[in-house]
Amino acid sequence: MTVDYEGYFQNALTTLREEGNYRVFADLERKRGQFPKARHYGPNDEKDVTVWCSNDYLGMGQHPAVIEAMHDALDKCGAGAGGTRNISGTNHYHVLLEKELADLHGTESALLFTSGFVSNWASLSTLASRIPNCVVLSDEKNHSSMIEGIRHSKTEKIIFRHNDLEDLEQALMCLPKDQPKMIAFESVYSMDGDISPISEICDLADKYNAMTYLDEVHAVGLYGPSGGGVSEREGVAHRLTVIEGTLAKAYGVVGGYIAASTALCDFVRSFAAGFIFTTALPPAVAAGALRSVQYLKVSEIERARKAERVALLRRKLDAAGLPHLHNPSHIVPVMVGDPVLCKQISDQLMDEYRIYVQPINYPTVAKGTERLRITPSPLHTNENIDELVSALSEIWSQMGLNRATA
């Protein structure tokens, strides 16, 4: 009897479609110098659309200084890194970028990875598995990359309620004070846009002799006087054991990193398979990221403009009675609560209004909390905002969806 592998794949995909959770990737071509515009290649036509869900939060992927730096490095070094840093050596742009990131967070050292996912997975799994008898206390809403890293470590883990200091302390109290422990959490949570109580978590870490591992991927470049994230803004970066970040969101390029002590970074560099056996970032990518970090250390224009755009969009959503989660960050989740409707709204925005917002459904968010995750940038105009709110309002009326009340 043969095994019907293809049948298994098709049945699983059919189930996803029936549940409304099948993912469809929009075929887009970003337009240099015209962000947030992009070219959409649909099944029946091509058209220009306005992108409202990019994680290129500040449009730095289009910034002339970043592009120039990448061109210069490409001309100087060629396309690829040549292999892993262990085999091919560390390109000088990697050295410069790691120094810049350490300076950004006020740490002794930093270590580059190929993505934010890999930096979390490799660092958490290495630290948790290599420190004898370590237990990880993980916020229940941590990103998949953190969950996978902790799971891969096969160490003891305790999941505490989201941003719940009392629940976290109860868990810490049950552990021996001399047992190694690490609290893993994020600063800005990407789906709800809420922010963790970093200082208070550091207080608990000090009290119970725990390390802290903070994921700042949705905050670096966006918060703090020089873009060091929420921990810089709140003046607590020096209290954290590890700060993890990305170069793929506010910095507009690609890659991930950790910033910590020299010994900790060297420890991860020496033992993390996800670092040792992975081809390094291309020099041009590192050069572009380096220039982006340097630029945002001194420029407040983009951060201020983005905050103003977010505030304006929220006011207009409120005026139209469109339900969105209120939070203190730059992420604007417009709540739908049904996966099929969420996909329908996204499709209609694209087809009829030339607006691209990806639906966010389970398992990225809990069932019943499906949403459109909107991320205004400094480059979205007043006209763009009015077009978005008007389109959403018309769709809400056509579908008979509930309006928010003041």
Side-chain angles (χ1 to χ4, degrees), residues 191-257:
M191 289 300 118
D192 290 347
D194 54 338
I195 295 176
S196 63
I198 302 174
S199 181
E200 290 82 355
I201 290 176
C202 287
D203 290 342
L204 291 176
D206 292 343
K207 183 177 179 180
Y208 293 98
N209 193 29
M211 296 184 295
T212 47
Y213 185 106
L214 176 66
D215 177 318
E216 285 259 43
V217 296
H218 291 277
V220 289
L222 294 167
Y223 301 94
S226 55
V230 178
S231 58
E232 184 198 24
R233 184 187 71 180
E234 297 182 0
V236 295
H238 64 286
R239 302 184 63 190
L240 294 154
T241 311
V242 181
I243 296 174
E244 185 267 348
T246 186
L247 303 166
K249 294 182 171 61
Y251 292 121
V253 194
V254 71
Y257 65 89

Side-chain angles (χ1 to χ4, degrees), residues 57-78:
Y57 290 134
L58 299 176
M60 292 302 293
Q62 308 280 305
H63 199 283
V66 174
I67 294 171
E68 181 184 13
M70 296 184 74
H71 275 300
D72 289 346
L74 187 64
D75 291 339
K76 185 184 293 185
C77 301

Side-chain angles (χ1 to χ4, degrees), residues 124-367:
L124 281 166
S125 63
T126 300
L127 290 168
S129 64
R130 290 269 175 179
I131 299 173
N133 201 31
C134 183
V135 59
V136 179
L137 299 101
S138 177
D139 188 288
E140 67 177 344
K141 289 196 175 181
N142 276 343
H143 188 263
S144 172
S145 58
M146 302 177 77
I147 295 168
E148 289 300 320
I150 296 165
R151 180 182 294 148
H152 185 73
S153 74
K154 295 183 172 61
T155 193
E156 179 186 357
K157 67 177 180 294
I158 298 172
I159 299 172
F160 63 92
R161 290 192 295 271
H162 178 54
N163 281 348
D164 190 325
L165 294 169
E166 183 177 346
D167 193 46
L168 173 58
E169 182 162 25
Q170 285 295 321
L172 287 164
M173 287 172 59
C174 295
L175 298 171
K177 185 123 186 214
D178 61 352
Q179 181 177 11
K181 53 190 78 74
M182 177 166 54
I183 305 169
F185 62 110
E186 301 181 36
S187 57
V188 177
Y189 286 85
S190 63
M191 289 300 118
D192 290 347
D194 54 338
I195 295 176
S196 63
I198 302 174
S199 181
E200 290 82 355
I201 290 176
C202 287
D203 290 342
L204 291 176
D206 292 343
K207 183 177 179 180
Y208 293 98
N209 193 29
M211 296 184 295
T212 47
Y213 185 106
L214 176 66
D215 177 318
E216 285 259 43
V217 296
H218 291 277
V220 289
L222 294 167
Y223 301 94
S226 55
V230 178
S231 58
E232 184 198 24
R233 184 187 71 180
E234 297 182 0
V236 295
H238 64 286
R239 302 184 63 190
L240 294 154
T241 311
V242 181
I243 296 174
E244 185 267 348
T246 186
L247 303 166
K249 294 182 171 61
Y251 292 121
V253 194
V254 71
Y257 65 89
I258 58 169
S261 70
T262 298
L264 190 149
C265 288
D266 198 16
F267 179 87
V268 174
R269 182 192 71 89
S270 299
F271 291 108
F275 175 84
I276 296 169
F277 299 106
T278 301
T279 298
L281 288 174
V285 170
L290 172 64
R291 187 68 189 94
S292 187
V293 173
Q294 291 171 332
Y295 177 89
L296 288 175
K297 275 186 174 179
V298 296
S299 178
E300 280 287 342
I301 297 171
E302 291 77 13
R303 285 190 281 274
R305 171 74 173 173
K306 182 176 182 64
E308 185 272 329
R309 298 286 83 190
V310 170
L312 177 61
L313 175 60
R314 288 188 182 281
R315 289 197 299 271
K316 288 185 176 287
L317 289 172
D318 285 337
L322 294 166
H324 62 101
L325 285 183
H326 291 270
N327 61 53
S329 78
H330 58 283
I331 295 164
V332 184
V334 172
M335 305 306 291
V336 179
D338 179 273
V340 175
L341 282 178
C342 200
K343 179 68 167 57
Q344 287 177 358
I345 294 170
S346 174
D347 289 344
Q348 192 170 347
L349 284 170
M350 181 75 92
D351 295 339
E352 297 181 20
Y353 299 93
R354 300 192 173 202
I355 290 171
Y356 172 55
V357 186
Q358 182 73 359
I360 305 295
N361 292 340
Y362 179 83
T364 305
V365 295
K367 292 181 179 180

